[in-house]
Amino acid sequence: MAAQALVSSSSICSTAEATRRIFAGRSVHSARKASFVVRAEAAPPVKQGADRQLWFASKQSLSYLDGSLPGDFGFDPLGLSDPEGTGGFIEPRWLAYGEIINGRFAMLGAAGAIAPEILGKAGLIPPETALPWFQTGVIPPAGTYSYWADPYTLFVFELALMGFAEHRRFQDWAKPGSMGKQYFLGLEKGLVGSGDPAYPGGPFFNPLGFGKDEKSLKDLKLKEVKNGRLAMLAILGYFVQGIFTGVGPFQNLLDHLADPVNSNILTNLKFH
C-alpha cells in the first residue's frame, strides 16, 4: 500500500513522457545537415542585454542564448544548447536544469569532501574520522573506513535512496507541481513547488525565504550558478590531486603554503 502511494502508475507514465520530451528536441536522423561550427545563416541576437557580459560568444550562440538564463554569458562553443544545431538532440531546457542540479551537488560535495580534513586538523573530530575523501568511500579498494555495514550493502542502500529521490525530482521536472499531489507522509503541501522545477522554493527548499523580490532572486540565481560551476571544477581538482599526490586537498594546500617551491603542480606530477 505504501509503495503504491509513493510511486503511482501516473508517476511512471509522467517519467516516460518526460524522457521522450528530453530527447524530442531534434531527431538524430534529421535529414537537415547541421554544422558543428558557427552557422553562416545564424539569426541576429534575440536579446543581448545592455549590461550583459559576454564570454567567447558567437553569432550562433547569441541567436538562442538571450540572457534569460542565470549565468548566461553567451558561451556555448559546441552548440549544445542550440535547439536547431548539433546539440539539439537533448532539450536545452534540460541541460540548463542539469547544470543547476549538478552545481548544487558539487557545492555540497566540495564542502563535504574537505570538511573532515579541516575539522581534524583543528582537533574538532577524532583522527580516525579525519580522513581524506577518497578513503571514506564505500566501494573497495578506495574505501578503507569501517562503517556500520559492509561496503556493498551501503552501496545498494545509497543507490535505492538516491534513485527514489532522483525519480521524484525527475517527475517534478516533467510535470511541475505534481509532487504536491502525490501522497508523501503528509508532507505534500511543502512539495507543491513554484512552477519552476529548478527553484521549487517552499518550506523545504527555501526555509529562510531568500529572494523575496525579483532583483534579489535574480542576483541569487546568478551567484548560485557561478558558485556551482566553480564547485564542479573544484571536485575535478580533488580527483586529480588525489591521484597525483595521494593526500587530500586541504593537506595539499598546507604543503604548498609551507614549501611553494617543492610542493606545486609541477613537482607533484606523479601517480600514487
Side-chain angles (χ1 to χ4, degrees):
M1 295 292 290
Q4 292 177 348
L6 292 175
V7 184
S8 63
S9 59
S10 60
S11 69
I12 297 175
C13 293
S14 65
T15 303
E17 181 185 354
T19 305
R20 290 194 298 269
R21 288 170 55 190
I22 291 175
F23 294 94
R26 182 178 67 88
S27 175
V28 177
H29 302 289
S30 175
R32 183 177 67 85
K33 293 183 179 180
S35 174
F36 190 75
V37 296
V38 177
R39 301 193 307 271
E41 70 277 15
V46 177
K47 170 186 158 188
Q48 293 190 37
D51 57 350
R52 180 162 68 118
Q53 295 180 344
L54 299 179
W55 198 74
F56 287 95
S58 65
K59 290 182 178 180
Q60 177 185 357
S61 66
L62 291 178
S63 67
Y64 52 85
L65 294 177
D66 59 2
S68 59
L69 293 173
D72 173 14
F73 300 103
F75 180 77
D76 188 20
L78 301 181
L80 296 178
S81 295
D82 187 350
E84 298 181 357
T86 306
F89 66 93
I90 297 180
E91 187 176 338
R93 189 169 67 96
W94 172 257
L95 292 176
Y97 174 70
E99 180 186 35
I100 294 172
I101 298 301
N102 281 280
R104 290 170 181 168
F105 275 124
M107 286 188 282
L108 289 173
I114 200 172
E117 277 193 276
I118 297 176
L119 296 176
K121 296 291 183 182
L124 299 177
I125 60 175
E128 56 268 21
T129 60
L131 301 174
W133 63 269
F134 50 81
Q135 293 182 4
T136 60
V138 300
I139 303 178
T144 58
Y145 188 75
S146 179
Y147 289 94
W148 55 271
D150 66 273
Y152 298 102
T153 300
L154 285 175
F155 175 73
V156 174
F157 187 63
E158 291 178 0
L159 190 65
L161 290 178
M162 282 300 298
F164 174 72
E166 287 293 279
H167 175 69
R168 289 182 61 85
R169 183 175 65 80
F170 188 72
Q171 286 180 290
D172 187 65
W173 180 86
K175 191 176 181 181
S178 60
M179 294 300 96
K181 300 177 181 179
Q182 293 185 15
Y183 173 76
F184 189 69
L185 305 176
L187 304 175
E188 308 84 55
K189 291 183 179 180
L191 302 175
V192 174
S194 64
D196 185 348
Y199 306 98
F204 297 131
F205 302 105
N206 188 16
L208 300 180
F210 290 121
K212 295 182 178 180
D213 58 88
E214 185 176 353
K215 183 180 184 302
S216 62
L217 182 61
K218 183 178 179 181
D219 291 340
L220 289 172
K221 287 180 178 180
L222 178 60
K223 291 177 181 178
E224 181 188 41
V225 74
K226 283 184 174 181
N227 283 281
R229 290 167 179 171
L230 183 62
M232 286 188 278
L233 290 175
I235 289 292
L236 177 61
Y238 287 3
F239 293 163
V240 175
Q241 285 177 304
I243 293 172
F244 282 98
T245 67
V247 296
F250 187 61
Q251 186 60 51
N252 285 147
L253 176 62
L254 295 179
D255 293 341
H256 176 70
L257 294 176
D259 189 3
V261 176
N262 296 311
S263 182
N264 53 62
I265 189 172
L266 296 178
T267 59
N268 286 325
L269 290 178
K270 53 185 177 181
F271 291 93
H272 286 261

